Amino acid sequence: MLESVTIPESVKHIGEHAFANCKNLSEVIISDNVFNIDCGALVTVRVWEKFLFQNNVTNIGADAFYGCKFE
């Protein structure tokens, strides 16, 4: 059961539906090397307590966060 994820410096792109339906994921930390978050990448993650990403993200695809709740 995935509850937390830290995207490492080596990742530049989070692909389509990469973490879709990870309903227990509550913490996501994205390194400053990520430039692209594809459509539906984090769709229907239930509740996020912590979501951090740097200003380097230049593209967030359609519905990347559809159905997500942030607290």
Side-chain angles (χ1 to χ4, degrees):
M1 196 176 313
L2 186 63
E3 294 177 358
S4 175
V5 66
T6 299
I7 307 298
E9 296 288 326
S10 60
V11 175
K12 299 191 182 344
H13 175 161
I14 300 175
E16 242 180 80
H17 305 289
F19 298 101
N21 297 312
C22 290
K23 296 180 192 267
N24 294 305
L25 188 61
S26 63
E27 179 178 275
V28 177
I29 301 171
I30 299 176
S31 78
D32 58 352
N33 285 342
V34 173
F35 294 94
N36 187 47
I37 301 173
D38 267 349
C39 61
L42 297 147
V43 69
T44 63
V45 172
R46 282 229 173 122
V47 176
W48 284 352
E49 295 169 7
K50 185 175 187 180
F51 179 77
L52 300 171
F53 67 92
Q54 306 298 322
N55 293 331
N56 295 343
V57 175
T58 57
N59 181 54
I60 298 176
D63 298 326
F65 304 104
Y66 180 81
C68 296
K69 294 180 182 178
F70 295 89
E71 288 189 353

